Amino acid sequence: MAKAGYHHGNLRQALVEAALALIAARGAQGFTLSEAAKEAGVTPAAVYRHFAGREDLIAECARQGYAIFADLMEHAWNGGAPSALSAFGATGRAYLAFARKFPGHYMAMFESGLSPNRSPDLAAGMARAEAVVLKATQALSAHIPEGRRPPPTMVAAHVRALSHGVVELYARAAPGTQSPFSPEDLLESGIGVYLRGLGLIAPDS
């Protein structure tokens, strides 16, 4: 029997929330549409009134995740205040906080294997989130002469890769992820070493 209120038009979101719970528990490829329908309290046939298939449902989870993620990153960046470096660090902490608080969204976005170009909305959401890191990188490198300035897109890609690696290895509550350092400290120190190596920030005195 359908859960109360779904006939008022929120079945689509109920299916998304069911999928997010399953993704967080089993991974992006660890559930079926029938299981999502059961979790939402509807028949499998009802799913197809809202989604073309399982990948379409996962893509909607990812789209909503990118919207939340971009909002968090923009808030953390705060226009580069009080300084480009401190705001850059805040975006790293926001990345880790998002992965912890929204694991289903995070896994749908980064671990499902779906291309962000699957839909214009999904691509736009990813681009908005990535633009924050790009702006932060450009602000950090503004003092370097243009001919010696590393490509901001490359630096942003490296920082995203480092952030994702810390999440995967140390920010998940699973056996083997323990470290003598917090994920926040690992990410901050790792990015600091990287940025100093590129000359984007001054070396420690």
Side-chain angles (χ1 to χ4, degrees):
M1 183 177 294
K3 294 181 180 179
Y6 289 174
H7 60 284
H8 292 300
N10 62 352
L11 173 57
R12 179 180 173 86
Q13 188 59 31
L15 289 165
V16 170
E17 291 169 4
L20 287 169
L22 289 166
I23 291 170
R26 305 182 190 175
Q29 304 300 332
F31 74 100
T32 66
L33 270 182
S34 295
E35 288 172 323
K38 182 178 180 181
E39 183 77 12
V42 298
T43 64
V47 179
Y48 291 98
R49 294 201 291 269
H50 300 277
F51 299 100
R54 188 172 68 107
E55 289 193 349
D56 194 29
L57 175 55
I58 295 172
E60 176 60 15
C61 293
R63 186 198 67 78
Q64 294 186 18
Y66 275 118
I68 298 168
F69 184 53
D71 286 345
L72 288 174
M73 295 291 279
E74 287 176 348
H75 179 76
W77 172 239
N78 192 30
S83 71
L85 181 57
S86 63
F88 193 92
T91 63
R93 292 188 292 275
Y95 191 104
L96 293 179
F98 174 79
R100 284 194 178 111
K101 187 170 183 180
F102 302 97
H105 292 92
Y106 184 91
M107 295 164 79
M109 291 158 59
F110 299 120
E111 300 174 11
S112 66
L114 295 182
S115 170
N117 295 320
R118 180 184 176 87
S119 73
D121 287 345
L122 190 57
M126 183 192 70
R128 187 163 73 93
E130 290 187 345
V132 178
V133 180
L134 187 59
K135 284 188 293 187
T137 300
Q138 290 169 332
L140 284 174
S141 62
H143 68 285
I144 298 177
E146 188 172 350
R148 294 168 45 206
R149 191 179 303 163
T153 52
M154 179 193 72
V155 176
H158 287 168
V159 169
R160 283 195 302 271
L162 179 57
S163 302
H164 188 73
V166 170
V167 168
E168 292 297 315
L169 293 174
Y170 301 112
R172 296 275 175 87
T177 61
Q178 298 303 310
S179 166
F181 310 102
S182 72
E184 288 78 8
D185 287 346
L186 284 169
L187 183 58
E188 183 176 353
S189 61
I191 289 177
V193 169
Y194 174 71
L195 295 179
R196 286 185 179 90
L198 290 177
L200 295 181
I201 59 177
D204 288 335
S205 56

